[in-house]
Amino acid sequence: MDQGAARRVELLLPMRTVLIVLAALGVAAALAAIGDTFLIVFVGIFLALVFEYPVRFVMAKTHLSRGLAATVTVIGSALAVTLLMLVLLVPLAGSVRDFLQDLPATVESLRESDELSWLGDSGGAENVQDGAQQISVSIPDAISSLLGVAGSFFGVFLAAFTILFICLFLISDIVNLKRAAGSVLMPGEDERWLDVWERVTTSVSRWAIGVVVIATIAGTTQGTTAWLLGSSYAVALGVIAGLLDMIPNIGATIAGFILVPTLWAEEGVTAAIIMLVVVLVYQQLENNILTPKIQGKAVSLSGFFIIVAVTLFGALMGVLGALTAVPLAATIQIFVQELTKARREKVAAVKAALEPAANDSEGAPH
């Protein structure tokens, strides 16, 4: 046989597999083409899940109809957030901007401190200095530019308006949507999948509300500590700590790497050590007391899967993906658990049937 002869390999694929692959590619291409619109719809649906339980609470306390309770809750929350933004956003954003613009000077001060002077002009120190310089240069001078409002106010308003009403109409119409979904499901299946919906809603709503509360506590605690230690960037550090705390598992650690060196550069090594102790103690309080009390078991994911989810969803959707990675992963887990429930029950039954036989063989005389 000629060793140089070309071989022909035939690959047989079922038409169903080909169609599924083509459909998946088509959906991916469509999402890429309408990326911004898809993101708006995603945020609207996500907020609807977040507001579902607050709306039910308002309905239970006021006996309002679902539509009216949803309007009061969603519009009221939007107005409250808008007022807070008008009062606090500009000064908070200005403080963060000043901190980032002064970052090169902060790094330089840290390099010149007695404790770190041995770093000198090492490659690592130079890289950090260059990175700080690039961040500082990229920060715009105008607050309006920093907030991304200048020249695009109408676009921002339209996106916010669309998100708000997608959320509102989904919550208001959810009963009809459930009824429509139940009408195409076999008896028994409707209860099964509506129960899945309830579990997803509970998970997302409790997680989101808990994250906002815990992030506020984190930002306030660490920002106040920085202020008491004499930092001129206390407000900015509090905002940064609160925002980063929303990123599960790694956010608080990243915040520590920002707060501690900043206090070191400004107030010396003693202040930095105090800040480090506060960060570490707060993390333990958050992980062992605040999160269990506020969020409970809203999500039950291992640390490994949380990190993987943050990495993957962060790569797909940027900061928004990293922030929503945990509830998205929890939702996927709920669906996977439901789809594999019958299989797991079957495996458990087989194992239970084999255990008596195994015990009898172990107890039999040799």
Side-chain angles (χ1 to χ4, degrees):
M1 180 178 178
D2 186 2
Q3 296 295 326
R7 294 183 179 181
R8 187 178 70 177
V9 178
E10 293 184 359
L11 182 62
L12 300 178
L13 292 175
M15 181 57 67
R16 181 181 178 183
T17 302
V18 174
L19 292 176
I20 291 175
V21 172
L22 290 177
L25 292 176
V27 170
L31 293 179
I34 59 171
D36 293 340
T37 304
F38 169 74
L39 197 60
I40 289 174
V41 174
F42 167 78
V43 174
I45 294 174
F46 183 81
L47 286 179
L49 294 176
V50 171
F51 275 106
E52 175 65 18
Y53 264 65
V55 168
R56 292 183 184 180
F57 177 80
V58 172
M59 290 173 63
K61 293 297 182 180
T62 63
H63 304 290
L64 295 173
S65 65
R66 168 170 279 270
L68 190 54
T71 302
V72 170
T73 305
V74 175
I75 300 298
S77 300
L79 291 175
V81 170
T82 301
L83 290 175
L84 284 175
M85 289 176 64
L86 291 174
V87 174
L88 300 176
L89 185 60
V90 170
L92 290 179
S95 179
V96 174
R97 181 203 60 190
D98 293 341
F99 169 72
L100 295 176
Q101 286 184 329
D102 294 341
L103 198 56
T106 302
V107 174
E108 182 64 27
S109 175
L110 197 59
R111 291 175 63 186
E112 293 176 353
S113 65
D114 294 336
E115 297 81 10
L116 295 179
S117 58
W118 56 272
L119 287 173
D121 296 327
S122 63
E126 287 292 339
N127 290 335
V128 173
Q129 186 73 56
D130 292 341
Q133 188 65 39
Q134 292 176 7
I135 292 173
S136 176
V137 170
S138 66
I139 300 301
D141 293 328
I143 290 290
S144 59
S145 297
L146 175 66
L147 299 178
V149 175
S152 60
F153 177 80
F154 179 75
V156 173
F157 173 79
L158 183 61
F161 183 85
T162 305
I163 290 171
L164 185 66
F165 278 87
I166 288 175
C167 170
L168 180 58
F169 283 113
L170 178 56
I171 296 176
S172 300
D173 207 35
I174 195 64
V175 175
N176 294 330
L177 292 176
K178 286 182 179 180
R179 188 180 299 115
S183 66
V184 297
L185 295 173
M186 296 296 290
E189 288 293 304
D190 53 350
E191 295 182 2
R192 173 191 178 189
W193 290 109
L194 290 179
D195 178 66
V196 169
W197 169 261
E198 290 297 321
R199 288 158 58 192
V200 169
T201 301
T202 302
S203 177
V204 173
S205 188
R206 292 182 63 179
W207 172 86
I209 295 171
V211 160
V212 172
V213 173
I214 293 172
T216 302
I217 296 173
T220 302
T221 301
Q222 296 174 50
T224 301
T225 302
W227 175 71
L228 291 174
L229 291 172
S231 174
S232 57
Y233 303 115
V235 175
L237 294 176
V239 172
I240 292 171
L243 292 176
L244 289 175
D245 196 75
M246 292 183 179
I247 302 176
N249 285 21
I250 59 174
T253 303
I254 297 173
F257 278 107
I258 296 174
L259 271 66
V260 174
T262 300
L263 266 297
W264 192 339
E266 280 195 290
E267 302 298 329
V269 67
T270 302
I273 293 174
I274 295 173
M275 189 76 244
L276 176 61
V277 171
V278 170
V279 169
L280 294 177
V281 170
Y282 175 78
Q283 286 185 21
Q284 294 304 311
L285 291 174
E286 179 179 305
N287 293 335
N288 298 297
I289 298 177
L290 294 179
T291 299
K293 290 290 184 181
I294 296 174
Q295 287 187 313
K297 295 182 179 180
V299 295
S300 55
L301 294 170
S302 69
F304 168 76
F305 283 112
I306 289 176
I307 295 296
V308 170
V310 169
T311 303
L312 293 179
F313 287 111
L316 288 173
M317 295 185 292
V319 176
L320 180 63
L323 294 176
T324 58
V326 172
L328 289 175
T331 298
I332 294 172
Q333 177 180 259
I334 290 171
F335 276 96
V336 170
Q337 287 175 343
E338 187 61 33
L339 291 172
T340 59
K341 182 178 179 180
R343 173 71 179 178
R344 287 184 285 110
E345 290 177 349
K346 183 177 179 180
V347 170
V350 171
K351 288 182 177 180
L354 292 176
E355 283 181 359
N359 293 333
D360 291 343
S361 62
E362 291 177 0
H366 295 284

